[in-house]
Amino acid sequence: MQRFLRDDPHARPLVILAACMLALALGDARNFLTLATAVSSLETFATIGLVALGLGLTMMIREFDLSVVGMYSMAGCIAVVMGGSNAWLGLACALAAGLAAGLAQGVIIVKLKLGSVGVTLGGLLVLAGIAYVVTENRALPYDNMEVALGLSTPIAGIFSIRSLVAIAIFMAAAAVIALTRHGRDIIAIGSDRRAAMTAGVNVDALVIGVFGFSGFCAALSGALLSYSLASASPSGLSDVIVPAAAAAILGGVSLAGGTGRPLGIATGVLTLAVLRAGFNAIGAPPYVNEIAMGGILLLVAALDGPYVARRLSALVRWRAD
Amino acid sequence: MSVSEAPARSSAPVRERRNIVPLVRAAVLIILAAIALTTPGFLSQPSMLSLLTTVSFIGCVAVGMTLITISGNIMSFSLGALVGATAMIFILVVNWAGFAVGLVAALVFAGLGNALQGFLVGWLRANPIIVSIAALALISGVAEAFAAHGTVYAAAGTSYAGFKGKLAGLPVEFVVFLGLTALAQLILTFTAFGRHLFLIGSSFRAAEAVGIRIWRTVTGAYLWAGLFTAPAGIMLAMRYDAASMNYGIGYEYDAIAAVLVGGTVIKGGEGSVLRTLAGALVIGIIQVVLVLQGLRTEWQYLIAGLIVLGVIALQTQGRRD
C-alpha cells in the first residue's frame, strides 16, 4: 500500500479523498450523504482552493508564498471599500492590488536574490497592515446585497459563481502546466533550478510570474468571499493558510519542489473541503475542524521531510538487529 | 545558489548593500531618537513604564525566536499561541495545585510542546514554517476545546501584588526579560550547544560533515525557545489574574520583527540575543511614539510591516537555495 502511494504521487490524493468520503459515509450516512454536504464542500473549495493553487505553484518552484493570507484579507477589504457602488470596480481594484503586490514580491525575490519566505513574511505584514488601514481596524459591511446573494445562488443544484470561477481557474492552470512550454519550465525550475537556467529557461521571469499569479489567486478568492459574506474585516480570514498548505501537500506538491499538478492540488482541496463539510454535517463543534486541519498539516509536513526515508530505514535496521 | 552562477552580475550590488547597512542603521537610530525625544510625553514616567512592560512580554518571545532564527529555521508561527496556552495552563494548574506546581507545569508544557516541533524539524527535516503553522492551528483548536468560554480566571484570593511592584525602579517583567536575555546570550556564547547552533544555521552540510547530531541541537533550540517564551505567558497571567488565547495574538510577528530589526540574519547562522534586546526596544519605542503622535493602531501594523520588509531587503547576501 505504502509503495503504491509512494510510487504514484497522482494516485495518492484520490485515494485519500475516497478514504475520507468512505469514512464519513460509514460514520453517519444519513447526515453526510446529502446535497447540503456537496454544496458546502464546493463553497469551501471556492474559499481555499485558489489560495492553495497559488501557494502550491510557488511550492512547485521551491519557493513559498507566506503572503497569501495578507493578500486574501487585503483584497476582501479593498473590494468592499471600493466596490460600494459598483462591484466590478471593487473586484478590479482588489485584483490589481493582488497582482501588483505578488509581482512586486517576485521582483524583490529575484532581483535582490532573497529567500522567498523572508520577503513574503514582510509582504504578509505590509498587506495585513494595508487591510487594517483601509478598514480603519473594524469589520465593514457590504451593502450591495444583490451581489452577495447573486454569488451564492445555486447553479445546477450544487455549484455557485464562486465555485465555478475556482474550477475554471484550476482547469486553466492545469492546461497551462500540462500543455505549454511555460508549464514544463515551471516543473523544471522546481526540480533543478540550475539545470533549468543552463537549459535556457527564463527562470527570473517565471518566478516573478508565479508570485504574480499567486497574488492574483489569493486576491480573487478573498474579494469573492468578502462579497458573498457581505462583509470584510482585516482579521478573521487568517485561518486560510493552514488548509491551503495542507491541501497543496496532500495534493502531491512537495516542499522540495518539482512535483505536483494543479488537478492534484484540486483533489487535496476537495478532500479537506469534504472533511470540513462532513464535520459540519455530523454536528461536530468548530474546533474539531481546526484540530483536524492542524493535525493533517503536521502529518503531511512530517511525511514530506527530506529525511523520512533515511530515518525509517534506520529504524527498520535497528529493529532487525 | 544563483550567486555562484553569475558572480559578475550579482556580487557588486551585494557588496554595496552590505556597506550601506551600518549607515542606514545609524541614520534610523538617530532619526528615531530625535523623534522620540521631541515627542511630548515620551520621557514621562508612565510612558516609560508602559514601554518597558510591553517590550518585556514581546521580548521574551523574541529571545526564544532568536534561537530558532539562528538555527536556520527562520521563525515559528506558533509562539504567539504558545504564550496564550501557557498562560491558561499556568492559571488552571495554580488554581488546582498551587503556584510552584503551576510554574513548573507551564514551563514543561511550553518546553516540550515546542521541542516536539523541533524534533520534527530536526529529525525528519520537516519544513519549519509548515510545522509551526500546523502547531498554531493545533494549539488554538485544543485550547478552544478545553476552555469553552475562552477565558480562565485565577481562583479568588490569588494575588501577585509583589509581582506588580518594581525592582530598582524597573517593572518586574522587564527585570525578568533582562535576566532571560542574559541567560540566552550565555548559552549561545559559552556552550557547545550554542556553537553548534550557529554552525548548523550557517551551513547545514558542514555541521553534518563534522558529525554534529543536528536533530538534538535543533530540538534543543526549540526546547529553549519554548522555555524562554513561557515566562511571557506566565507574567501576562499574573498581571491580569486571568488567561485566554487572545493574550499572545500577533506576538510571533512582533517577535520576528524585533529579531530582524536587531540584526539577526533571517537565513540563520548569524545574530545574538543582545541584538534582539536592542531590536525589541526599537520596536517598542516606535510603537510608543506612534501612539503619542496620535496615529491610530492600524498604522502601527502597516509601519511595522514596512520596517520588516525593509530590514529583510537590506539583509541580502545572495542566498537562494
Side-chain angles (χ1 to χ4, degrees):
Chain A
M1 183 70 179
Q2 200 177 7
R3 178 169 301 161
F4 164 69
L5 291 180
R6 174 151 294 170
D7 288 352
D8 189 355
H10 302 293
R12 191 174 57 178
L14 282 173
V15 171
I16 298 172
L17 175 60
C20 286
M21 295 179 80
L22 192 66
L24 283 163
L26 288 177
D28 191 345
R30 209 158 42 98
N31 286 320
F32 176 67
L33 295 175
T34 58
L35 198 62
T37 311
V39 171
S40 121
S41 298
L42 281 167
E43 286 306 288
T44 309
F45 180 88
T47 305
I48 58 175
L50 292 178
V51 180
L53 178 63
L55 183 65
L57 278 177
T58 65
M59 284 158 65
M60 280 162 66
I61 57 165
R62 285 199 71 161
E63 305 284 355
F64 195 82
D65 188 358
L66 265 180
S67 73
V68 286
V69 186
M71 203 80 81
Y72 192 79
S73 170
M74 177 193 74
C77 296
I78 289 182
V80 165
V81 169
M82 303 297 291
S85 52
N86 184 345
W88 288 106
L89 177 69
L91 184 64
C93 290
L95 291 182
L99 185 63
L103 290 174
Q105 293 184 105
V107 168
I108 295 176
I109 290 166
V110 165
K111 295 300 169 196
L112 296 185
K113 304 197 177 301
L114 286 166
S116 53
V117 172
V119 172
T120 53
L121 168 66
L124 161 64
L125 294 176
V126 170
L127 296 171
I130 293 175
Y132 278 107
V133 170
V134 166
T135 57
E136 296 174 348
N137 200 2
R138 58 204 158 92
L140 292 181
Y142 185 61
D143 299 327
N144 200 335
M145 284 311 284
E146 270 173 49
V147 175
L149 293 175
L151 278 171
S152 310
T153 311
I155 299 171
I158 54 172
F159 296 102
S160 69
I161 293 182
R162 274 196 329 130
S163 58
L164 287 177
V165 166
I167 291 169
I169 291 184
F170 264 104
M171 299 299 240
V176 167
I177 294 285
L179 303 176
T180 71
R181 197 185 140 189
H182 292 317
R184 288 192 296 278
D185 287 352
I186 285 174
I187 305 282
I189 292 175
S191 314
D192 188 337
R193 184 167 297 188
R194 193 179 297 222
M197 206 179 265
T198 315
V201 173
N202 190 347
V203 172
D204 286 3
L206 279 172
V207 170
I208 295 172
V210 167
F211 275 90
F213 179 73
S214 173
F216 177 85
C217 281
L220 178 60
S221 192
L224 290 183
L225 180 69
S226 281
Y227 277 164
S228 73
L229 294 177
S231 84
S233 69
S235 53
L237 294 169
S238 60
D239 50 2
V240 73
I241 198 167
V242 174
I249 305 177
L250 269 183
V253 179
S254 168
L255 287 153
T259 64
R261 300 287 181 274
L263 291 184
I265 300 175
T267 321
V269 176
L270 206 55
T271 307
L272 298 185
V274 167
L275 264 186
R276 180 182 279 187
F279 287 141
N280 284 342
I282 61 175
Y287 58 78
V288 171
N289 180 59
E290 194 171 3
I291 294 174
M293 294 297 148
I296 291 172
L297 184 57
L298 197 66
L299 188 68
V300 294
L303 292 178
D304 191 53
Y307 276 26
V308 168
R310 178 185 303 195
R311 299 301 187 195
L312 277 179
S313 61
L315 279 182
V316 169
R317 244 180 295 137
W318 180 69
R319 288 279 300 271
D321 283 348
Chain B
M1 172 179 120
S2 342
V3 154
S4 55
E5 294 152 18
R9 202 165 47 121
S10 66
S11 67
V14 166
R15 200 175 304 126
E16 273 168 33
R17 274 195 296 274
R18 261 185 173 172
N19 290 340
I20 63 167
V21 169
L23 289 178
V24 172
R25 186 175 292 155
V28 167
L29 284 180
I30 291 170
I31 294 170
L32 183 61
I35 296 177
L37 293 176
T38 52
T39 300
F42 178 76
L43 289 173
S44 71
Q45 204 198 11
S47 140
M48 278 296 166
L49 285 180
S50 108
L51 166 68
L52 293 182
T53 312
T54 320
V55 160
S56 309
F57 299 129
I58 291 162
C60 291
V61 183
V63 168
M65 192 75 86
T66 311
L67 300 184
I68 294 176
T69 309
I70 289 178
S71 75
N73 290 311
I74 302 173
M75 73 174 284
S76 163
F77 280 86
S78 64
L79 290 185
L82 194 67
V83 168
T86 306
M88 291 172 86
I89 286 189
F90 175 74
I91 291 277
L92 290 173
V93 179
V94 166
N95 286 348
W96 172 61
F99 179 78
V101 183
L103 198 63
V104 172
L107 286 170
V108 167
F109 164 76
L112 288 187
N114 223 42
L116 201 61
Q117 297 172 48
F119 181 71
L120 291 178
V121 171
W123 200 63
L124 297 175
R125 294 199 67 197
N127 182 293
I129 300 291
I130 302 280
V131 167
S132 68
I133 291 174
L136 163 67
L138 277 177
I139 294 173
S140 37
V142 171
E144 200 183 322
F146 276 94
H149 304 294
T151 309
V152 292
Y153 296 95
T158 329
S159 167
Y160 305 101
F163 182 77
K164 288 168 186 162
K166 292 190 196 64
L167 273 178
L170 296 170
V172 177
E173 285 96 341
F174 191 66
V175 176
V176 171
F177 167 45
L178 286 184
L180 292 175
T181 306
L183 176 62
Q185 188 62 49
L186 289 176
I187 292 174
L188 275 184
T189 319
F190 292 111
T191 66
F193 164 75
R195 286 190 295 277
H196 290 172
L197 206 58
F198 279 104
L199 183 55
I200 293 172
S202 55
S203 172
F204 186 89
R205 276 199 205 161
E208 202 168 44
V210 295
I212 293 175
R213 288 277 196 98
I214 290 179
W215 69 268
R216 285 194 187 176
T217 310
V218 172
T219 308
Y222 275 80
L223 173 70
W224 278 112
L227 292 177
F228 286 125
T229 301
I234 296 170
M235 293 192 300
L236 281 164
M238 287 168 76
R239 170 156 286 255
Y240 298 112
D241 294 325
S244 85
M245 287 305 286
N246 291 333
Y247 281 11
I249 284 184
Y251 273 29
E252 62 273 21
Y253 297 120
D254 289 330
I256 191 67
V259 170
L260 296 175
V261 167
T264 294
V265 178
I266 194 163
K267 74 186 169 71
E270 198 185 326
S272 80
V273 183
L274 293 176
R275 288 188 193 176
T276 298
L277 170 66
L281 286 172
V282 167
I283 296 278
I285 290 171
I286 291 173
Q287 285 179 352
V288 170
V289 167
L290 288 176
V291 169
L292 290 174
Q293 296 278 2
L295 267 105
R296 288 192 312 264
T297 339
E298 54 262 29
W299 285 95
Q300 296 179 24
Y301 296 117
L302 181 56
I303 289 170
L306 289 170
I307 292 172
V308 170
L309 192 59
V311 169
I312 289 172
L314 283 172
Q315 275 188 1
T316 157
Q317 292 179 357
R319 184 205 73 102
R320 305 271 286 113
D321 65 346

